[in-house]
Amino acid sequence: MTPMLSRRTFLQGSAFLGGAFALGAGLAARAGAAPEAQVLTAQLAQARIAADGITPVMTYGLGDAPHAGVPPVLRMRKGEAYAARLVNRLDEPTTVHWHGLRIGNAMDGVPEMTQPYVYPGDHFDYVFTPPDAGTFWYHPHCNTLTQMGHGLTGVIVVENPADPIFDAEFVLNLRDWRLGAEGKFIDPFKPRDAARGGTYGTVRTANWQQEPGYDAPAGGLVRVRIAATDVTRIYTIGVEGAEAKVVALDGNPVDHPFLLDRLDIGPGQRVDLVMRMPGSEGARATLGNFRGSKPWTIASLRATGPSLKRDLGDVAPLPANPIARADLSTAQRIPLELTATAEHKAVPSVCGSLGYTFWALNKVPWPGDTPDPIAPIEELKLGKSYVLEIANRTPHAHPIHLHGLSFRILSSNKRSFLPPPTDTILLLPDEQAEVALVADNLGDWVIHCHIIEHQKTGMTGYFRII
C-alpha cells in the first residue's frame, strides 16, 4: 500500500528550512491535510534506447516495482494538494526539482539550498499545491549532467477542469542520449563544447524511442504536450502533413492561439499544440526538428477511423493562470549579464562538479552545491515588482530558467513575438531583454542556464525573497 504522508513527516523533512513553505500573495494557499503520496522511486534499470544494445539507465518508477521505461507522466490538478515520496534506489544522492511549478521553497529540490541530499536508501517527502495548470516536468538537481543524461527526466501535466476536451492527447519527452557502441554511455561532455554551445547526444528520442509513431482519430483535434528535457539541444519545432496551433508555452496559455510554422524551444521549455489530424485513414502528420541543415522526425501521428471533421478554427484560448502583473511604475531594475569566465576553479561537490568554470552571471561563477553558497544576486522584497535587464554577452544561446516564479518578457532586441508568462527565456546570442516579475514567493530561488554544462560550469545564481 502507498504510505500516507503526515503533516508531521512533512515538517520534519523541512524543519531545517525554518518552515519556508509559505507562498506569497496570489499563489495557492498552503496544503492542509496531506493527500495520499505517490511513491516515486529513482532506480537503475536496463533499457533498449539504441538499436544495437542495452543501455544502463536511471529512471523513475511508481512504487517499488522494477521499472525500465521512460519516467511516468505525473498528473496533478490545479489548486489541489499533491504529495510524492521520493525513494532513492540509486547508488548516489539525488533530489527532485519540479520545473516550472510555483510552489514553496522547501519543496524546490535544490540540495544545500532548499533541502538536504536524499542519500541512497533514504527518502524525502514533497507536498505542494500547484497553482497553475499546464505542462511542466521534473528532474534531479544533483549530479544533473549524469543523472538527467542517464534518464531522470519526466513530464508533469497539471490539469484544469475548465480546459476543453480534445479528441486525443499525447505527451512527448524530448531528449538525447550520449551512446556509443552496443548502447553504452560515452563521456557526457567535451570541455571544448561545454565552453561553447554544449555537447550534443548521439541518439535522439521522444519518450525514449527513435521516431515513435502513434495513432490518433482522423480529422480530430489532438493536444500534443512537448517538453524539451534534453541537457543541451535547442529544437526548432514544426509539423508536416497537418496544421497545428500553439495554445501554450512553458505551461501558460497564449492569449490567441496561432498557427505553428517554426518554433524554437530550448532545454527546459515546453509547448502545447493542438493539431488537426488529416481526414484520411492512414495519413500521417509528422512532428519534426528543423534546426540545422538536416531536419529529422521527432514523432509521427497516423490518422485512424472515419474523419471526425473537426475545425482548427474552433480552438479557443485556454484559461489563464493566476500570475500577478508587475507594477512597472514602481519596479526596481536589476541588471543580469550572461558572460564567459575563467576566473575561478570549480569546487568539488557531493552533487558532482565538471571540473571546469566557463560561465558566469554578473561576472560571478557559481561554485557548486555547497553548504555556504555565494551571496544572492539580489535580495527582493515580498510583493514588490522588479524588472530584470538581461544581457547575453556571449555568442551562444542560453535558456535561462528561474525557479519558483514566473515572469513576463517586456522587450527584446532579437524578437518581435513576446510569449505569455514563462519560467524560461531562450536568450539568443547578443540578445538584450527586459523581463518583469512580482516577488511573490518567499525563499532562495535559483536562476541558471538549462544547458546543463553551462549550469554546472558557472552560469547559476539565485535571488532571495524576504
Side-chain angles (χ1 to χ4, degrees):
M1 176 179 292
T2 303
M4 290 293 291
L5 176 61
S6 69
R7 179 170 173 78
R8 179 179 179 186
T9 302
F10 163 66
L11 290 175
Q12 288 173 340
S14 58
F16 78 104
L17 295 164
F21 185 53
L23 296 179
L27 297 187
R30 298 183 188 186
E36 185 175 355
Q38 280 190 303
V39 176
L40 188 64
T41 304
Q43 56 189 270
L44 301 170
Q46 303 285 323
R48 184 171 290 279
I49 307 297
D52 62 344
I54 300 298
T55 300
V57 300
M58 297 179 181
T59 188
Y60 295 106
L62 296 178
D64 294 327
H67 182 75
V70 62
V73 175
L74 300 182
R75 291 191 176 265
M76 309 170 189
R77 288 175 70 87
K78 175 182 177 180
E80 294 186 9
Y82 171 82
R85 167 167 287 189
L86 171 66
V87 176
N88 186 6
R89 302 293 184 213
L90 304 175
D91 54 10
E92 60 182 87
T94 193
T95 63
V96 175
H97 168 58
W98 312 89
H99 184 113
L101 295 185
R102 300 183 300 136
I103 57 179
N105 198 229
M107 301 289 99
D108 195 48
V110 180
E112 298 288 10
M113 181 165 286
T114 70
Q115 72 162 89
Y117 303 102
V118 184
Y119 287 92
D122 205 350
H123 68 270
F124 188 87
D125 293 322
Y126 295 92
V127 176
F128 54 82
T129 299
D132 306 315
T135 304
F136 306 92
W137 62 295
Y138 62 103
H139 63 82
H141 233 276
C142 188
N143 197 15
T144 44
L145 187 61
T146 294
Q147 292 188 11
M148 291 172 59
H150 283 222
L152 285 179
T153 65
V155 182
I156 299 169
V157 172
V158 181
E159 298 172 339
N160 184 350
D163 275 356
I165 297 174
F166 296 99
D167 299 308
E169 178 179 289
F170 298 94
V171 178
L172 298 178
N173 180 341
L174 309 188
R175 41 103 22 91
D176 287 4
W177 305 77
R178 281 190 54 77
L179 304 179
E182 300 179 342
K184 306 303 182 185
F185 280 104
I186 57 177
D187 289 342
F189 76 102
K190 298 177 181 178
R192 67 176 181 273
D193 291 334
R196 298 172 182 167
T199 308
Y200 288 98
T202 61
V203 179
R204 306 174 297 230
T205 66
N207 296 341
W208 292 25
Q209 300 175 61
Q210 298 181 60
E211 301 185 9
Y214 304 96
D215 288 348
L221 293 179
V222 178
R223 184 170 186 168
V224 183
R225 299 177 182 264
I226 301 168
T229 76
D230 192 59
V231 298
T232 302
R233 184 175 296 281
I234 297 170
Y235 297 82
T236 299
I237 300 292
V239 171
E240 294 187 336
E243 287 191 326
K245 281 189 172 181
V246 176
V247 294
L249 294 168
D250 295 337
N252 283 293
V254 298
D255 291 335
H256 305 286
F258 59 89
L259 284 173
L260 174 67
D261 181 18
R262 299 289 185 264
L263 181 70
D264 293 340
I265 60 171
Q269 295 192 287
R270 295 86 65 205
V271 57
D272 287 38
L273 306 176
V274 174
M275 185 185 301
R276 200 274 185 182
M277 287 295 296
S280 303
E281 172 88 31
R284 291 184 180 273
T286 301
L287 177 72
N289 178 29
F290 293 88
R291 196 173 189 86
S293 59
K294 296 181 180 180
W296 45 271
T297 296
I298 294 172
S300 62
L301 299 179
R302 184 176 69 96
T304 61
S307 177
L308 299 181
K309 299 181 180 180
R310 304 286 193 235
D311 188 342
L312 197 59
D314 293 337
V315 175
L318 302 174
N321 287 319
I323 296 171
R325 284 190 173 273
D327 181 351
L328 299 182
S329 67
T330 63
Q332 177 184 337
R333 291 179 168 266
I334 300 172
L336 188 66
E337 288 195 332
L338 317 183
T339 57
T341 186
E343 296 178 3
H344 296 81
K345 184 178 179 180
V347 177
S349 165
V350 172
C351 267
S353 169
L354 301 192
Y356 299 89
T357 297
F358 297 130
W359 304 100
L361 291 179
N362 284 351
K363 300 182 180 179
V364 178
W366 182 252
D369 305 308
T370 69
D372 186 21
I374 60 177
I377 296 171
E378 195 81 31
E379 284 194 347
L380 313 182
K381 293 184 178 180
L382 183 67
K384 299 297 184 181
S385 296
Y386 296 87
V387 172
L388 306 183
E389 300 174 335
I390 309 178
N392 182 2
R393 306 297 188 191
T394 82
H396 303 285
H398 299 283
I400 299 298
H401 170 55
L402 176 59
H403 289 211
L405 301 163
S406 292
F407 54 84
R408 287 179 169 86
I409 302 174
L410 302 178
S411 65
S412 165
N413 66 336
K414 292 282 188 174
R415 66 186 78 201
S416 56
F417 169 70
L418 301 180
T422 181
D423 52 75
T424 306
I425 177 173
L426 179 59
L427 281 159
L428 301 176
D430 301 314
E431 182 175 3
Q432 298 179 51
E434 293 185 334
V435 307
L437 60 87
V438 178
D440 54 7
N441 203 353
L442 288 168
D444 290 343
W445 297 107
V446 173
I447 183 169
H448 65 87
C449 180
H450 229 287
I451 293 175
I452 303 302
E453 292 156 88
H454 296 177
Q455 173 201 336
K456 297 295 287 186
T457 58
M459 194 171 280
T460 302
Y462 70 102
F463 293 103
R464 174 168 290 159
I465 298 180
I466 58 175

